[in-house]
Amino acid sequence: MRCLMSKRKFDLPGIDELNKDQKAVLRLKESGQHLVIGGPGTGKSVVALLRARKFHQKDNYLFLTFNHVLNSSTKQVCGIELKSDTAQSWFYSLQFNLAPGNDFELKKMPHRTDSNGMEIQHSPNYDKVIERFDSYVNQKNSNLPANDTHFIIDEGQDLPIGFYESLQSLGFENFFIVADQNQQITEENSSRQELTDVLALENDEVVELNENYRNSSTIAKFANHFYTDKASPAPNLPDRPSLDTPTLYVYEMLNSCISMIHREAIRDTERLIGVIVATEAKRDTYTKILTKAVTNENINVSSYSNESKQNVNIDFSMGGVVVLCDKSVKGIEFDTVFIVLDDLKIINNDADAIKKRLYVMSSRAKEKLFLFRSAVMPNEVEGLLPIDENLMIRDKI
């Protein structure tokens, strides 16, 4: 049987569809520094995109995202030719272009070093960057960008405070940041208080979004089991009952998992299914086996590897199956999510770090959530899962 993949519908809401807190965000002044805090599904990305539309005709804004997958997804759903980039890619280009002449050492990003004096890749030494930026300002470097740019930053908690301080050293003043401290998944990040301080805001100037418009009630309750950080408010539980309680399946054979994902894909071809894994090796395995399993059907299986850089070949407007590592799913939502717990490990006894990753992964699901665990591989993460059967059912396949 061949299935015809269906187009999914996504439109940004109109003003009359926003709640009072979201409307308050849209009334914020165009200039200045703003921080919006909210949990998964509260509309942080929505209000950020609606703000981008305000500046679109003026072309004096830049929408920055945490990773390439979120950047691609955002561009596909925003309804405008969004002027956007990933924060780190743009920052590296900025530093490179500001360095005068052809001095390689100046154009090269200064990185932090480990205890052995080795550079830590993708980890800028922001103190040294700020020193350079300050010198460029003092020298009135001809490459300095206009500092009236309005930065709109999604998932702002996953950027270190030095990132913001570096931009401020160049004279940039207009920041609109949406963030959730409970969704921090990077080692270098910013807390809510750090963001409040760097933006020179009073605590009562921070806007909180509390209504969850994404998850069913059962999925929201499951996700909230992993809520660890009181600095960002947990969203109110949505009033969207569902008969589909999140379920953990312990499997003997991988093909059992593949068959279940396959059945979900052909059940409704308009739905987008996310398969979330912990490692590149698992991502590659699931992508290859799922692609082979649907060879005779018109079901799209897509994925993204960090090696692909900006080349994200995922169409979020169509139904199908998307296989991603968990650090690539920030800000993305799926109708159905399968979380593969294998290879997910607690590092340095930091259970809260894994809980935050589970919080992010599970809250991607709108309607259905399943988890897989191998029956033959030890798994230290299962002990963090809820034992209340109202939150999660355990079964075998």
Side-chain angles (χ1 to χ4, degrees):
M1 177 182 70
R2 292 185 63 82
C3 303
L4 181 62
M5 302 312 296
S6 302
K7 193 84 171 175
R8 302 172 74 237
K9 294 181 180 179
F10 183 90
D11 292 305
L12 288 175
I15 301 299
D16 58 335
E17 298 176 88
L18 302 179
N19 65 33
K20 63 180 181 63
D21 294 323
Q22 293 168 332
K23 289 178 180 177
V25 173
L26 292 192
R27 290 195 298 269
L28 293 172
K29 294 180 180 178
E30 290 191 0
S31 298
Q33 310 194 10
H34 309 289
L35 177 60
V36 179
I37 298 293
T42 55
K44 298 188 302 299
S45 296
V46 167
V47 294
L49 284 171
L50 290 173
R51 187 172 179 87
R53 283 186 173 180
K54 278 188 174 183
F55 297 101
H56 186 59
Q57 296 300 324
K58 301 177 184 178
D59 199 37
N60 64 338
Y61 77 98
L62 182 62
F63 195 104
L64 296 176
T65 64
F66 170 65
N67 60 40
H68 292 298
V69 175
L70 180 55
N71 186 41
S72 176
S73 170
T74 301
K75 284 184 172 182
Q76 291 179 40
V77 304
C78 68
I80 58 175
E81 290 292 326
L82 190 68
K83 187 179 178 181
S84 70
D85 203 343
T86 62
Q88 191 171 74
S89 295
W90 176 82
F91 190 75
Y92 272 66
S93 295
L94 173 69
Q95 200 285 145
F96 181 90
N97 292 329
L98 282 178
N102 296 310
D103 188 327
F104 176 75
E105 286 304 314
L106 276 180
K107 288 188 172 294
K108 180 183 175 184
M109 176 70 73
H111 288 104
R112 293 169 55 239
T113 56
D114 60 22
S115 57
N116 297 316
M118 301 297 291
E119 281 195 351
I120 304 173
Q121 292 300 307
H122 310 300
S123 181
N125 184 325
Y126 289 103
D127 289 338
K128 289 187 177 180
V129 171
I130 290 172
E131 285 181 13
R132 289 185 182 181
F133 285 2
D134 283 342
S135 71
Y136 299 154
V137 172
N138 292 334
Q139 296 164 12
K140 298 182 179 179
N141 186 320
S142 61
N143 294 327
L144 286 173
N147 55 21
D148 63 345
T149 299
H150 292 259
F151 289 97
I152 302 171
I153 302 176
D154 202 356
E155 304 294 347
Q157 75 282 346
D158 282 316
L159 296 170
I161 209 68
F163 174 86
Y164 301 104
E165 292 173 336
S166 298
L167 298 185
Q168 289 173 334
S169 73
L170 290 173
F172 291 112
E173 297 180 339
N174 300 312
F175 294 89
F176 178 91
I177 302 171
V178 298
D180 179 9
Q181 185 170 314
N182 205 59
Q183 295 188 69
Q184 290 172 336
I185 60 169
T186 57
E187 292 183 7
E188 297 182 65
N189 50 53
S190 297
S191 69
R192 172 178 178 162
Q193 191 59 55
E194 286 173 327
L195 289 171
T196 302
D197 292 343
V198 79
L199 296 178
L201 297 172
E202 298 296 331
N203 288 330
D204 61 3
E205 294 179 293
V206 178
V207 181
E208 293 185 354
L209 301 180
N210 297 295
E211 298 299 324
N212 181 343
Y213 293 96
R214 177 188 297 153
N215 310 127
S216 68
S217 301
T218 54
I219 292 172
K221 289 176 183 177
F222 178 88
N224 280 3
H225 174 78
F226 304 107
Y227 177 74
T228 62
D229 204 324
K230 306 304 184 208
S232 290
N236 298 330
L237 288 175
D239 184 21
R240 287 191 293 281
S242 172
L243 297 177
D244 294 299
T245 302
T247 303
L248 169 65
Y249 287 102
V250 179
Y251 69 92
E252 298 281 349
M253 302 291 292
L254 180 58
N255 280 341
S256 300
C257 303
I258 299 299
S259 296
M260 181 173 290
I261 298 169
H262 187 188
R263 287 196 298 273
E264 280 294 317
I266 62 177
R267 183 171 290 132
D268 188 341
T269 58
E270 187 176 324
R271 296 185 182 279
L272 189 64
I273 297 172
V275 179
I276 306 176
V277 300
T279 65
E280 280 291 318
K282 275 284 187 289
R283 183 201 60 77
D284 191 55
T285 296
Y286 270 82
T287 302
K288 287 179 178 177
I289 298 177
L290 280 165
T291 300
K292 185 177 180 180
V294 302
T295 298
N296 297 321
E297 295 155 343
N298 191 24
I299 295 175
N300 185 44
V301 177
S302 53
S303 187
Y304 171 81
S305 167
N306 287 335
E307 296 178 355
S308 301
K309 303 297 182 184
Q310 298 181 15
N311 187 25
V312 181
N313 292 313
I314 302 173
D315 187 349
F316 289 97
S317 69
M318 299 295 292
V321 180
V322 179
V323 186
L324 292 171
C325 289
D326 68 291
K327 290 189 177 182
S328 292
V329 300
K330 294 297 294 290
I332 309 298
E333 66 178 31
F334 301 95
D335 299 296
T336 299
V337 165
F338 292 87
I339 299 174
V340 181
L341 296 177
D342 305 332
D343 294 342
L344 195 60
K345 295 179 172 62
I346 299 174
I347 300 173
N348 296 327
N349 295 316
D350 190 354
D352 279 358
I354 290 296
K355 286 181 179 179
K356 286 183 177 182
R357 290 171 69 180
L358 288 166
Y359 184 68
V360 170
M361 288 188 272
S362 56
S363 60
R364 301 308 95 198
K366 295 171 62 177
E367 298 175 11
K368 293 183 179 182
L369 175 62
F370 306 99
L371 300 91
F372 292 143
R373 178 184 73 78
S374 169
V376 298
M377 294 173 58
N379 192 292
E380 56 194 46
V381 174
E382 186 176 355
L384 302 177
L385 301 180
I387 58 175
D388 185 348
E389 290 192 353
N390 292 311
L391 298 183
M392 187 188 77
I393 299 169
R394 284 172 164 80
D395 205 345
K396 295 180 179 180
I397 52 173

